[in-house]
């Protein structure tokens, strides 16, 4: 009898939990979006015209951002190359990686890092809360 009661209680809790998840509006669900920081490091054995030719020939500009991926920022980092910060659904990570492998390799050495925005968490702890927005 105890086993049946425990099983019934477990099922009741599981069903309630499932319905609570389904009832949660999508805006309240945990987002599967992530930030991806990509370093496109210049090969200093080539000048910018040679890098640009490789990038153009490989279709970088046409294929680099797969559908559903957004640029957050794109910086020049002097002495390194370019730093691109993308926002994307986790499901698009392999598509971004493939686009980089097909269109950026040869022109750049690449480093890719999944990242997240710590500022919303830490801003209340900072004495100076000013933030530059680009």
């Amino acid at each position: 009898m105890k086993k049946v009661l425990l099983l019934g209680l477990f099922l009741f809790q599981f069903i309630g939990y499932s319905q609570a998840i389904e009832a949660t509006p999508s805006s309240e669900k945990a987002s599967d979006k992530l930030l991806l920081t990509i370093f496109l490091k210049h090969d200093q054995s080539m000048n910018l015209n040679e890098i640009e030719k490789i990038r153009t020939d490989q279709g970088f500009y046409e294929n680099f951002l797969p559908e559903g991926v957004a640029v957050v920022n794109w910086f020049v980092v002097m002495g390194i190359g370019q730093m691109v910060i993308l926002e994307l659904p986790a499901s698009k990570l392999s598509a971004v990686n493939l686009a980089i492998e097909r269109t950026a390799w040869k022109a750049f050495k690449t480093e890719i890092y999944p990242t997240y925005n710590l500022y919303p968490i830490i801003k209340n702890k900072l004495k100076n809360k000013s933030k530059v927005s680009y």
Side-chain angles (χ1 to χ4, degrees), residues 121-133:
I121 297 167
I122 203 168
K123 72 180 175 183
N124 293 328
K125 296 179 182 182
L126 297 173
K127 187 173 182 174
N128 178 358
K129 296 178 183 3
S130 64
K131 181 177 185 280
V132 176
S133 178

Side-chain angles (χ1 to χ4, degrees), residues 50-67:
E50 293 169 316
I51 291 171
E52 186 65 20
K53 181 174 180 352
I54 292 169
R55 195 163 37 172
T56 301
D57 290 348
Q58 293 182 159
F60 179 83
Y61 296 107
E62 295 83 13
N63 300 299
F64 175 59
L65 286 178
E67 191 71 32

Side-chain angles (χ1 to χ4, degrees), residues 38 40 59-66 74 84 86 95-96 99-100 103:
I38 303 169
L40 301 171
F60 179 83
Y61 296 107
E62 295 83 13
N63 300 299
F64 175 59
L65 286 178
W74 198 311
V84 184
L86 304 176
V96 171
I100 290 170
T103 65

Side-chain angles (χ1 to χ4, degrees), residues 40-44 48 51 76-77 80-82 107-109:
L40 301 171
K41 298 171 83 174
H42 289 152
D43 179 348
Q44 294 183 3
L48 289 177
I51 291 171
V76 169
V77 182
I80 294 176
Q82 298 174 28
F108 301 101
K109 293 181 173 138

Side-chain angles (χ1 to χ4, degrees), residues 23-126:
T24 304
S26 61
S27 63
E28 293 178 9
K29 288 184 182 177
S31 174
D32 75 337
K33 291 199 175 199
L34 60 96
L35 294 175
L36 197 64
T37 300
I38 303 169
F39 286 95
L40 301 171
K41 298 171 83 174
H42 289 152
D43 179 348
Q44 294 183 3
S45 70
M46 292 186 285
N47 64 39
L48 289 177
N49 290 336
E50 293 169 316
I51 291 171
E52 186 65 20
K53 181 174 180 352
I54 292 169
R55 195 163 37 172
T56 301
D57 290 348
Q58 293 182 159
F60 179 83
Y61 296 107
E62 295 83 13
N63 300 299
F64 175 59
L65 286 178
E67 191 71 32
V69 177
V71 174
V72 174
N73 273 313
W74 198 311
F75 298 101
V76 169
V77 182
M78 294 192 310
I80 294 176
Q82 298 174 28
M83 181 177 73
V84 184
I85 302 170
L86 304 176
E87 182 182 64
L88 58 138
S91 62
K92 295 286 184 175
L93 184 60
S94 60
V96 171
N97 184 57
L98 190 57
I100 290 170
E101 289 176 356
R102 288 183 174 160
T103 65
W105 284 7
K106 260 204 237 177
F108 301 101
K109 293 181 173 138
T110 60
E111 292 182 18
I112 304 172
Y113 302 97
T115 56
Y116 61 94
N117 185 1
L118 185 61
Y119 186 71
I121 297 167
I122 203 168
K123 72 180 175 183
N124 293 328
K125 296 179 182 182
L126 297 173

